[in-house]
Every structure is written in structure tokens, then in C-alpha cells.
Amino acid sequence: MSAVPAGIETPEVLIDRDILERNIDRMATAVRAKGIDLRPHVKTHKMPEIASRQLAAGAVGLTVATIGEAEVFVQHGARDVFIAYPLWVTPHHARRLAELGSLARVAVGTDSVEAAQAMGAALSDATDRIEVLVEIDSGHHRSGVSPSHAVEVAESAAAAGLRVSGVFTFPGHSYAPGMPVKAAEQEHFALEEAASLLRSAGFDISRISGGSTPTAALAVQSSANEVRPGVYVFGDAQQLELGRCTLDEIALTIAATVVSRHQGAGSTPRRCVLDAGSKIIGSDRPAWASGFGRLMDYPEARISALSEHHATVIWPDGSELPALGARLRVIPNHVCLTMNLVDEATVVSGDAVIARWRVDARGKNN
């Protein structure tokens, strides 16, 4: 896709099907070559059409963030899902998990004695329908316990009637310059230690789950036997700046129109304004990122500010400022946010619109 297809009203999310499918195949091949399983995180796209392509390419199952996302993908045929989140299970959650467990293989996360006890009590006689993986902190310092506390959590889960089948971690600190290799190494040692301690305590640990888009395909030692990357299907401006994807691997952009332009003078910046703001691009900007997004065909331009319906783009000297009405393609910083802001996306091949796909798991936050 070299331009915004005719007939598109902006702002609009565009998915290049051909690049998407190449990205899916590339990750599947890379993970297969490492001899481990791929369980992609579908919170990135929230689309059954894409999940079906990932499964057809060899994924062993899907990863989701919420019970609601699991329900959507199981309803669309998924038969193996992992809710990679330390759930606090209420009676309502328990009824939904029990129903899911009657339809598919379902695993959930936990990272505390109290949460494991609450889960077991809420599930009651349905505990045999759910597997539990203990979440390990491998350096991101979000949720998860240190490897040395994994046995305590697992023993509480087992005492509550739950079946502990593995450990998992999210090396989220890999999303920073110079960090992917270090994060992957920390993940390896944390998962290895936790799994070893649990096996010594008598647990049958069959799943050791890790990985993120920056680390999943790295040629480094790994104790994980499955990885859960998500963003790789689309790529985004963060992955571009981290060097984990290239422009020709960006499958999702946002079509936007220039609605204001200013040549600038003195301290007034040379800029244009697009009709795509935070309500479609998303407002995520890590401290190290050079802007709130990038432009597909103008890599030196930077989105310096976002309002709800405006994107201010600082335009590089030496490059002609686009005309009013020009249609540009924005690469969002964090594509997962974009997909939770729209009900559907336009699918293209070359310069032709070929489909519209619904974001079926949008807003499934619980």
C-alpha cells in the first residue's frame, strides 16, 4: 500500500493484509526454529480473523488479558486460551471461567496466596476445569512474584484444589532502547529458577511461558517452552524505534488528512495538523520515544503533540510541507491502544480495499 486508497474517510485504521500475513509467517517460522511453542497475545488485534491466521500458521493456542477476551475467541472457535493475568476471581468470574473451561482448555495466572485461595473458593467444584500458572517477576517489576516465592503461591493454589501446570512472566522492560537482550536473559534465569524450585517441590511443570515482541525471536538462551508476543502482527512506532521491525513490516497505519498547515518562523515551528488525535492514535509515549507516532512516508517527521482530534506534526526542514487535504498514514506508538479505540478496520491489499474486519474483543476489559 503506497497511498491511502480512494474512498477512505479519515481518520481510519488500515490493515495491509499482505504485510500482516508475512509478519505472522515470519514469527511462526522464527519460533518454530527455536523448538518452542507460539501462543500469540491477541489483545493486540482483538480480531478473530487474525487469530485464525495465527493458529493456521502453527500457534498452539492464544493468549488474552481478560475473561471477556477469552469468551470472544472461544466463541469464534479457539480451543486453547491462556488468560495471562493475575486474576482476582469473584463468583461472577468463576461462573464465566467454568463455562469457558467446559468449551476449551483454559489457563489463568496468579501471583499471590490470597488470590489463589480466592480463586479456588470461587470455582468450587469447577477447579478441575482450569489450569493455573504462577506469574514470575523477571525484572519488569509489575505483577509477579520472585522465583523464590513461587512454591508458596503454587502450594496455596494446590491446597485450594487448583491444578498448577506452569510459570509465566512478561519481560515488559524489553520495551526500551538497549534492553531486549538483557530482558531476555533475565527472563531465562527467572523462569528457570522458578520451574526448578516448583519441580523440586513436587509440581509437574509442563508450561514455561515468556516472551514479548522485542524478545520472542532473539537468538538467546531461553528456558521458556512457549512465547507470547503480540505486537509483531502489526508493528508500531515503538518497535520501529527499538529496531525490532522495519517500515516494510508495518501492517497497520491510520489514514489521516492534513487540516491545517503552517510554514512557521522564528520560534514558531513548521508544522501541519492531522485529523487523527488521541481518540484513534492512542496517547502512549514512553520517555525515550521521539514523538507520539511516526508518518509512514515521512520518517523524519514527528508527532509532537496530540489532542483528542488533532495530531501536531513537526515537519523537517528541506521537505515540502504537505498541502491542505493531503492524506497521510500515521504509525501509532502503541498499536494495542489503537485497536481498542475502533469498532472495525479497513483491510487493504496493494491499493485496493478488500474487507472490513470487526474488532470483536474491543472493550472486553473484564
Side-chain angles (χ1 to χ4, degrees):
M1 177 175 55
S2 58
V4 176
I8 295 294
E9 297 293 337
T10 65
E12 174 68 30
V13 171
L14 305 177
I15 297 173
D16 189 308
R17 184 200 61 187
D18 304 324
I19 298 175
L20 169 77
E21 292 181 345
R22 288 200 296 271
N23 291 346
I24 289 172
D25 289 342
R26 184 185 305 108
M27 182 62 77
T29 299
V31 172
R32 190 180 304 117
K34 294 175 70 172
I36 58 179
D37 292 332
L38 176 62
R39 183 181 294 275
H41 209 316
V42 296
K43 73 176 178 66
T44 294
H45 55 74
K46 307 184 191 302
M47 289 179 160
E49 287 85 357
I50 296 178
S52 67
R53 285 166 166 78
Q54 293 173 303
L55 291 167
V60 297
L62 304 176
T63 303
V64 297
T66 68
I67 298 172
E69 288 180 351
E71 288 168 336
V72 168
F73 288 99
V74 169
Q75 287 166 6
H76 283 83
R79 290 297 171 259
D80 190 337
V81 295
F82 172 34
I83 304 171
Y85 195 87
L87 293 176
W88 183 267
V89 177
T90 66
H92 179 57
H93 290 152
R95 289 191 292 272
R96 294 164 67 194
L97 286 170
E99 175 63 20
L100 281 169
S102 70
L103 300 171
R105 180 190 184 194
V106 177
V108 303
T110 193
D111 78 344
S112 70
V113 168
E114 295 84 355
Q117 292 171 339
M119 188 186 306
L123 284 167
S124 186
D125 58 359
T127 53
D128 61 341
R129 300 185 188 182
I130 304 297
E131 296 178 39
V132 172
L133 278 70
V134 177
E135 184 173 13
I136 305 301
D137 178 8
S138 59
H140 187 39
H141 305 319
R142 191 175 64 178
S143 51
V145 296
S146 66
S148 62
H149 287 90
V151 171
E152 178 186 14
V153 175
E155 287 178 341
S156 295
L162 298 163
R163 177 161 49 99
V164 178
S165 63
V167 292
F168 77 107
T169 192
F170 173 57
H173 51 311
S174 63
Y175 287 81
M179 284 301 296
V181 171
K182 181 178 180 180
E185 291 172 346
Q186 291 175 327
E187 174 194 272
H188 162 66
F189 289 115
L191 288 176
E192 183 179 57
E193 180 182 355
S196 176
L197 289 170
L198 285 166
R199 285 170 175 150
S200 296
F203 289 93
D204 182 11
I205 299 302
S206 60
R207 293 174 62 179
I208 305 175
S209 183
S212 62
T213 291
T215 63
L218 288 177
V220 296
Q221 185 181 20
S222 176
S223 53
N225 56 24
E226 73 171 29
V227 289
R228 310 183 315 277
V231 174
Y232 75 93
V233 293
F234 293 143
D236 59 20
Q238 289 186 146
Q239 298 306 310
L240 194 63
E241 291 205 27
L242 289 172
R244 303 311 304 164
C245 72
T246 59
L247 280 172
D248 61 2
E249 294 168 350
I250 298 292
L252 184 147
T253 54
I254 299 164
T257 298
V258 177
V259 295
S260 181
R261 68 192 296 272
H262 306 274
Q263 286 293 348
S267 62
T268 302
R270 188 167 182 257
R271 68 197 187 279
C272 67
V273 177
L274 309 179
D275 63 352
S278 63
K279 285 190 172 179
I280 191 166
I281 296 174
S283 56
D284 204 0
R285 181 184 180 179
W288 51 264
S290 61
F292 285 94
R294 305 285 286 274
L295 298 186
M296 188 69 173
D297 301 305
Y298 301 93
E300 299 307 313
R302 292 293 185 276
I303 299 176
S304 64
L306 287 178
S307 302
E308 291 184 18
H309 299 284
H310 304 68
T312 302
V313 183
I314 302 300
W315 210 258
D317 294 333
S319 180
E320 184 178 355
L321 199 64
L324 288 168
R327 288 144 66 88
L328 309 178
R329 290 185 294 150
V330 176
I331 307 170
N333 265 354
H334 189 177
V335 73
C336 303
L337 299 187
T338 296
M339 294 305 292
N340 203 42
L341 294 170
V342 295
D343 292 321
E344 56 185 11
T346 296
V347 185
V348 301
S349 178
D351 293 329
V353 173
I354 59 171
R356 289 187 69 80
W357 290 345
R358 285 195 56 77
V359 189
D360 287 293
R362 180 196 178 193
K364 301 298 184 181
N365 294 319
N366 60 51

